[in-house]
Amino acid sequence: MTTAAIIVAAGRGQRAGGGTPKQWRTLAGRRVADWTIDQFRGLVDHIVLVLSPQDAPAWEEFGALDMILTAGSTDRAGSVRSGLDALEAFGIEKVLIHDIARPCVSTRVITDTLGALDTHAAAAPGLAVTDALWTGDTDLVTGTQDRTGLYAAQTPQGFRYDAIAAAHAAHPGGSADDVEVARAAGIEVAIVPGDPDNIKITRPEDFDRAERIMGMNMDVRLGNGYDVHRFGDGDHVILCGVKVPHNRGLQGHSDADVGMHAVTDAIYGALAQGDIGQHFPPTDPQWKGAASEIFLRHAVELAGQLGYRISNVDCTLVCEFPKIGPHAHSMRDQMALIMDLRADQISVKATTSERLGFTGRGEGIASLATACLVKS
Ligand SMILES: Nc1ccn([C@@H]2O[C@H](COP(=O)(O)OP(=O)(O)OP(=O)(O)O)[C@@H](O)[C@H]2O)c(=O)n1
Ligand SMILES: C[C@](O)(CO)[C@H](O)COP(=O)(O)O
């Protein structure tokens, strides 16, 4: 079934204060929007980001990524409708609708909601109300409200695409959420277990709460990689995916890209998934002369499959020659492309070993790398 997530991000975040709309403010080192969007990557086929026409930098930035962008409206329901319209030609069967302001949403909540659509026309996470409920007038309690059968509604709310698109088109407006729109059209909505951590950033103090939740749930992994290749005949070396002219070549079973091998091993190391030789044995003739980006792509894919996001990578090449400095930026950009990361998440640097040891004598090149992976 073709799936999509519509992430509504056109609100102005008035109640959160702070001047800048809450989705563009920083939470635990990254913008709220980045956390939220990343949670849906790999779980759905398409992501639609609904943006305000006022947020010009976001249009430019996210337009360069693999997302569908569309303009939101002055109310949430209008923004959702715009997201649904943007998906019209994509043959979507299941669609999730999520607030950008819920960055702590877990993979479990997303997959449960999506999974419930196998047997239900609509499903959404809800939390049974456990606190007593009062009615009040300014600072006085005026009564107690029966909490039986009451739930706090969360997102993502999931629907069969055709049904929710028709329901929104027919709705007069003024809905609290998409479940209300669906129910008004006679669609039955199943409740999947919500998550107390799936808070919506609404007021200023919610930023601290969300940061605490993220800190508690975050699994940060570090891995290191080390590799050496000796020089042999040749007129160039391949380092971090870039061909560098040199009076020697590097010897190896593959293309001997010592830098990329160290980075690949650092990722496998962080995942506790062995090393490059285990995944691509040097005894296997199919890897003879292979481009090392095959290995790096595999490690990156494995990280994604295991639910990790690569936060950053740092790679150091150790050699007297060739000089790395003039090529370091191209190496960084090439690895960013292969790993689908931003350039500022990758560092490629070099050092000599002061003419000491095998690298100092020009017998080969060594490389060290560190990778930081995060699961939240
Ligand atoms: N015209 C709107 C209003 C809201 N939203 C989105 O709907 C979600 C939930 O709304 P809310 O928390 O009310 O966000 P804001 O409208 O931004 O906040 P406020 O009401 O405090 O201004 C948010 O992800 C928000 O960006 C939207 O896309 N378009
Ligand atoms: C859709 C929603 O997140 C469900 O809880 C919520 O209703 C939207 O936010 P608002 O604060 O009600 O605008």
Side-chain angles (χ1 to χ4, degrees):
M1 277 210 185
T2 313
T3 59
I6 296 172
I7 302 179
V8 282
R12 297 296 82 199
Q14 304 280 6
R15 287 168 291 174
T20 307
K22 55 196 177 188
Q23 57 271 33
W24 312 125
R25 288 175 56 188
T26 303
L27 179 75
R30 307 170 75 212
R31 291 171 307 185
V32 169
D34 298 320
W35 288 113
T36 308
I37 294 165
D38 274 0
Q39 283 305 97
F40 285 84
R41 287 191 187 283
L43 299 182
V44 288
D45 300 313
H46 303 279
I47 295 179
V48 179
L49 188 59
V50 184
L51 293 171
S52 164
Q54 296 173 44
D55 292 339
W59 283 88
E60 199 171 313
E61 177 189 341
F62 291 104
L65 303 179
D66 55 341
M67 266 181 284
I68 302 160
L69 303 189
T70 188
S73 183
T74 47
D75 65 354
R76 185 183 180 282
S79 295
V80 171
R81 274 198 305 278
S82 172
L84 289 165
D85 289 349
L87 283 170
E88 209 175 351
F90 285 80
I92 303 296
E93 283 146 295
K94 294 176 178 180
V95 63
L96 299 177
I97 303 172
H98 187 67
D99 298 330
I100 195 106
R102 292 184 189 266
C104 304
V105 62
S106 65
T107 303
R108 199 274 298 160
V109 167
I110 298 172
T111 53
D112 276 8
T113 308
L114 211 47
L117 295 177
D118 289 338
T119 46
H120 299 277
L127 279 181
V129 173
T130 51
D131 294 322
L133 291 178
W134 301 327
T135 50
D137 185 4
T138 324
D139 53 358
L140 281 183
V141 176
T142 54
T144 301
Q145 174 76 45
D146 182 9
R147 74 190 113 154
T148 314
L150 290 188
Y151 287 81
Q154 300 188 334
T155 70
Q157 301 184 346
F159 308 90
R160 295 303 177 107
Y161 174 81
D162 290 342
I164 192 65
H168 260 285
H171 199 270
S175 58
D177 62 4
D178 307 294
V179 163
E180 184 178 339
V181 173
R183 293 193 72 257
I187 301 168
E188 202 173 62
V189 184
I191 302 174
V192 301
D195 179 353
D197 288 348
N198 184 17
I199 63 166
K200 180 162 72 67
I201 295 181
T202 304
R203 291 181 294 261
E205 60 271 24
D206 293 333
F207 280 88
D208 282 348
R209 266 180 83 200
E211 220 154 54
R212 278 198 299 276
I213 290 166
M214 283 187 164
M216 282 186 302
N217 295 342
M218 205 179 278
D219 177 7
V220 179
R221 301 285 191 99
L222 293 180
N224 64 59
Y226 176 71
D227 196 27
V228 171
H229 281 271
R230 74 168 63 237
F231 280 125
D233 291 339
D235 60 5
H236 70 272
V237 293
I238 308 246
L239 294 172
C240 297
V242 172
K243 185 174 174 178
V244 179
H246 190 48
N247 57 4
R248 323 264 353 244
L250 285 174
Q251 294 181 339
H253 187 64
S254 65
D255 63 4
D257 188 334
V258 63
M260 207 175 272
H261 293 179
V263 170
T264 305
D265 264 352
I267 298 169
Y268 287 137
L271 297 170
Q273 290 287 327
D275 61 20
I276 207 166
Q278 216 166 300
H279 294 279
F280 301 94
T283 47
D284 187 338
Q286 70 171 308
W287 308 124
K288 186 153 179 50
S292 296
E293 71 170 78
I294 297 170
F295 314 147
L296 182 56
R297 280 187 202 281
H298 176 264
V300 172
E301 271 168 34
L302 189 58
Q305 282 160 16
L306 295 173
Y308 289 89
R309 184 175 55 75
I310 298 174
S311 174
N312 77 302
V313 160
D314 182 22
C315 174
T316 304
L317 296 159
V318 187
C319 57
E320 305 291 329
F321 295 102
K323 287 296 168 205
I324 303 301
H327 308 282
H329 279 134
S330 317
M331 291 175 183
R332 178 199 64 189
D333 293 348
Q334 186 58 19
M335 294 227 286
L337 197 67
I338 294 167
M339 299 170 80
D340 198 17
L341 295 178
R342 298 187 311 273
D344 69 359
Q345 292 175 283
I346 312 245
S347 143
V348 177
K349 58 197 196 302
T351 184
T352 69
S353 54
E354 298 287 332
R355 299 189 179 273
L356 297 172
F358 69 89
T359 49
R361 291 190 297 272
E363 293 167 8
I365 301 183
S367 176
L368 305 94
T370 304
C372 176
L373 275 60
V374 180
K375 176 148 76 174
S376 48

